[in-house]
Amino acid sequence: MKAVCWHGANKVQVDTVPDPKILNPRDAIIKITSTAICGSDLHLYNGYIPTMQSGDILGHEFMGEVVEVGTSVKNVKVGDRVVVPFTIACGNCFFCQKDLWSLCDNSNPNGWLAEKVMGHSPSGLFGYSHIFGGYAGGQAEYARVPFADTGLLKIPDGMTDEQVLFLTDIFPTGYMAAENCHIKPGDIVAIWGCGPVGQFAIKSAFMLGAERVIAIDRIPERLQMAKDMCKAEVLNYEELDVGEALKEMTGGRGPDAVIDAVGLEAHGTDFMALHDQVLQAVKIEPDRPTALRQVIVSCAKGGHVSIAGAYGGFVDKLPMGAAMNKALTFKMGQTHVHKYLKPLLERIQNGDIDPTFVITHTLPLDQAPHGYDIFKHKKDNCIKIVLKP
Ligand code: NAD
Ligand code: ZN
């Protein structure tokens, strides 16, 4: 089959690789009809995530048709159209039972390695390096899905791929980010990052009762989408002092909750710029939690900080003094996608949201290398790419 493979930083190509096989009675094989490129894939593309190997198949946002099932799979059958959560979870362990699906104890075969670095192992993830299990991803013609009974969501007839594809990741991720803000009536929520995750976080914050949402980015068409499609007030951080602007817009108090929907990729300068410059001068790539620092400093006293942006390893120079003395509450994590599949499918069916608004490009799988290039560099007004194997 054809698959999008990682071959080092900034190098992906479409290779011919062996078809996946059933390895465990709980597996299913999916023939993929639609798959997307995520901001998280850019961390791999940029070479930020260790334990990738040349030839690894990328992709964790995918859906398609079940073409084969293992002997103990009962909830899905050949021919079903399904959406696949990006987190892999057994459904039976202590954490799955507590609805903390991205912390599953049984789905990461390289958990021992993760434990050495993180103390405990998170769940396995599709197409996201060997420390997260080394699973082949879904930017391919076929994929093997473990724990098929637990993970796969059957799609009702009449719904298009584009309507449901983002249940795999970015819709639940934006939604959980907003839920982690503990929004109360009248609340103002500020969101850093108007990428796909940020866009869904804005929509979700309104769904959960926010009175106002202020969205921050520097890419004009992303700010435009946040304003036109998601009804946010927008700030371009290259044009003004975000901290001052937020104070002014909130009667001096600051937003009641703040979301980091940026993660490792943060651009821009803030009060740590000098520190970064020094590191660059000696050719050490600095960690750049630029957005996260601003998020913490801007948040109102007693407010909630929700981190959806992905971080790994060590992140330096966070203003913990501000966090402590303003009594902030922090929530973060890989999304517990399984928990949100059915409720968010209902939201789509009810017409509360049409997730297709975020798609700017649909490309054949063969053009994935071009897709990664335009998504990374924000060329051609690119916001979200769907690939068609
Ligand atoms: P993306 O790269 O398309 O979007 C990030 C946006 O942040 C860009 O528009 C960029 O211009 C903007 N940005 C950069 N620096 C900024 C700054 N200092 N202030 C404000 N905005 C800034 O990615 P995406 O697909 O929207 O994903 C966003 C983040 O969410 C990534 O880190 C991704 O890994 C993470 N993610 C996490 C989960 C999870 O389970 N928690 C799931 C999916 C994605
Ligand atoms: Zn993703």
Side-chain angles (χ1 to χ4, degrees):
M1 67 164 182
K2 283 186 189 168
V4 180
C5 296
W6 185 91
H7 287 282
N10 297 308
K11 211 167 157 218
V12 299
Q13 67 192 41
V14 180
D15 291 341
T16 301
V17 301
D19 287 359
K21 290 194 175 65
I22 299 272
L23 298 180
N24 182 290
R26 295 182 69 182
D27 291 348
I29 304 290
I30 310 299
K31 181 178 198 287
I32 296 162
T33 51
S34 297
T35 173
I37 306 180
C38 178
S40 297
D41 294 322
L42 291 182
H43 306 321
L44 303 171
Y45 190 62
N46 286 326
Y48 292 164
I49 310 283
T51 75
M52 283 298 282
Q53 290 172 11
S54 189
D56 284 349
I57 302 175
L58 292 164
H60 59 268
E61 302 182 357
F62 60 100
M63 63 175 296
E65 188 190 321
V66 177
V67 290
E68 198 182 342
V69 291
T71 49
S72 43
V73 174
K74 293 190 176 58
N75 297 342
V76 288
K77 55 180 191 323
V78 170
D80 284 345
R81 241 178 106 223
V82 292
V83 151
V84 185
F86 81 95
T87 45
I88 302 171
C90 75
N92 307 109
C93 72
F94 177 84
F95 293 98
C96 287
Q97 293 286 314
K98 284 176 73 171
D99 241 1
L100 298 170
W101 301 83
S102 71
L103 304 176
C104 173
D105 253 345
N106 288 327
S107 62
N108 187 345
N110 298 331
W112 62 274
L113 180 59
E115 268 184 55
K116 286 209 187 302
V117 184
M118 302 180 215
H120 298 274
S121 169
S123 75
L125 304 177
F126 288 103
Y128 216 74
S129 85
H130 291 264
I131 204 167
F132 289 105
Y135 290 97
Q139 288 164 9
E141 289 180 296
Y142 295 90
R144 177 179 77 94
V145 174
F147 306 116
D149 274 343
T150 308
L152 295 177
L153 176 74
K154 271 194 257 184
I155 300 309
D157 289 342
M159 297 184 87
T160 64
D161 279 18
E162 285 70 14
Q163 278 178 295
V164 293
L165 175 61
F166 303 134
L167 289 169
T168 56
D169 179 349
I170 55 173
F171 184 15
T173 294
Y175 195 86
M176 185 168 112
E179 214 174 57
N180 282 345
C181 290
H182 295 265
I183 295 167
K184 295 174 296 302
D187 273 3
I188 305 174
V189 179
I191 301 179
W192 276 253
C194 298
V197 168
Q199 303 288 342
F200 279 96
I202 302 168
K203 291 240 183 211
S204 300
F206 279 125
M207 280 188 225
L208 291 168
E211 184 159 310
R212 292 168 60 200
V213 178
I214 304 168
I216 300 136
D217 206 302
R218 78 194 154 101
I219 311 288
E221 51 279 6
R222 292 179 178 220
L223 290 166
Q224 200 66 43
M225 181 182 273
K227 194 170 157 198
D228 295 347
M229 310 296 283
C230 305
K231 308 293 170 219
E233 298 160 61
V234 297
L235 298 175
N236 184 330
Y237 69 84
E238 286 188 330
E239 290 172 1
L240 43 70
D241 180 325
V242 172
E244 287 305 314
L246 285 173
K247 268 195 184 151
E248 218 164 89
M249 293 165 87
T250 57
R253 205 178 67 224
D256 303 286
V258 287
I259 298 177
D260 173 348
V262 180
L264 287 165
E265 274 305 295
H267 294 264
T269 52
D270 63 359
F271 52 83
M272 287 304 300
L274 192 59
H275 165 84
D276 285 354
Q277 277 164 16
V278 171
L279 290 179
Q280 267 163 4
V282 289
K283 300 228 177 329
I284 295 172
E285 188 64 34
D287 283 324
R288 308 190 113 240
T290 318
L292 186 52
R293 292 177 199 135
Q294 226 171 47
V295 159
I296 295 169
V297 172
S298 302
C299 189
K301 292 190 277 190
H304 287 85
V305 176
S306 163
I307 306 174
Y311 289 95
F314 296 86
V315 169
D316 200 8
K317 308 285 183 195
L318 286 180
M320 291 313 287
M324 196 275 166
N325 290 300
K326 291 198 292 177
L328 303 182
T329 302
F330 280 69
K331 279 204 132 189
M332 63 191 87
Q334 300 285 0
T335 305
H336 305 300
V337 179
H338 297 61
K339 171 179 166 184
Y340 297 99
L341 286 171
K342 282 189 181 144
L344 295 186
L345 175 66
E346 272 170 32
R347 289 271 195 182
I348 300 169
Q349 287 175 304
N350 293 344
D352 295 343
I353 183 168
D354 174 5
T356 61
F357 77 94
V358 80
I359 302 171
T360 51
H361 292 70
T362 302
L363 301 174
L365 191 74
D366 278 340
Q367 285 186 32
H370 170 66
Y372 272 85
D373 177 53
I374 59 171
F375 182 50
K376 169 171 170 168
H377 296 106
K378 279 92 184 162
K379 290 185 209 161
D380 197 15
N381 295 345
C382 180
I383 300 181
K384 188 74 179 177
I385 299 176
V386 176
L387 299 170
K388 297 285 185 180

